[in-house]
């Protein structure tokens, strides 16, 4: 059973691992030329995870649906998937970031865990969508704080 060893203001190993797993799967999809849509991953205190993918609308509508999903399930989890009260979440999508005055493709991810003062965001630059082994990505970079969904 995972333990939440976080101290206020620092990301726990559990949140870090979950967020890295989401980013990794997202990058794998992009390397294969697939648009993963907006992905939300939630986890309870016991480490039970559930992932939902939103693709049926535009990106803004899918982001809104992902946020609503987290908010709706925060207190009670997803009982039919054996996920209890949501302890942490990560939401990922594609977008662009301004790097030295030019826009670059990036995986954008926001994440939060109960006990943190705020949510956080990061980005991973990528190039070569659909190019398999020639697909390139950067290390994650912090993008700042953001309001938590719950």
């Amino acid at each position: 059973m995972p333990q939440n060893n976080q101290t206020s203001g620092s990301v726990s190993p559990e949140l870090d691992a979950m967020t890295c797993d989401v980013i990794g799967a997202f990058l794998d999809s992009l390397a294969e030329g697939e648009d993963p849509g907006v992905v939300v991953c939630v986890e309870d205190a016991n480490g039970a995870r559930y992932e939902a993918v939103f693709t049926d609308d535009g990106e803004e509508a899918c982001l809104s649906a992902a946020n609503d999903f987290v908010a709706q399930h925060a207190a009670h989890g997803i009982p039919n998937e054996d996920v209890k009260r949501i302890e942490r979440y990560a939401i990922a999508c594609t977008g662009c970031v301004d790097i030295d005055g030019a826009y670059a493709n990036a995986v954008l991810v926001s994440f939060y865990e109960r006990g943190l003062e705020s949510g956080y965001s990061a980005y991973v630059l990528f190039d070569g969508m659909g190019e398999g082994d020639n697909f390139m990505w950067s290390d994650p970079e912090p993008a700042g704080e953001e309001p938590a969904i719950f």
Side-chain angles (χ1 to χ4, degrees), residues 15-24 27 97 99 105-111 120-126 136-144:
L15 179 58
D16 185 53
M18 184 185 75
T19 302
C20 287
D21 289 349
V22 169
I23 292 170
L27 291 170
V97 293
I99 304 293
N105 291 326
V107 173
L108 310 172
V109 63
S110 60
F111 49 96
Y120 295 97
S121 60
Y123 65 90
V124 176
L125 299 176
F126 70 87
M136 297 184 311
W137 68 94
S138 69
D139 289 334
E141 294 288 337

Side-chain angles (χ1 to χ4, degrees), residues 35-57:
D35 178 2
V38 175
V39 175
V40 60
C41 185
V42 297
E43 188 174 81
D44 67 17
N46 295 321
R49 286 187 189 176
Y50 180 80
E51 188 173 287
V53 178
F54 299 88
T55 59
D56 291 339
D57 283 316

Side-chain angles (χ1 to χ4, degrees), residues 47-85:
R49 286 187 189 176
Y50 180 80
E51 188 173 287
V53 178
F54 299 88
T55 59
D56 291 339
D57 283 316
E59 191 162 284
E60 289 300 319
C62 288
L63 278 170
S64 180
N67 282 289
D68 290 348
F69 178 88
V70 172
Q72 291 170 1
H73 295 286
H76 302 291
I78 308 163
N80 60 337
E81 298 292 335
D82 295 323
V83 176
K84 306 222 182 318
R85 181 180 92 146

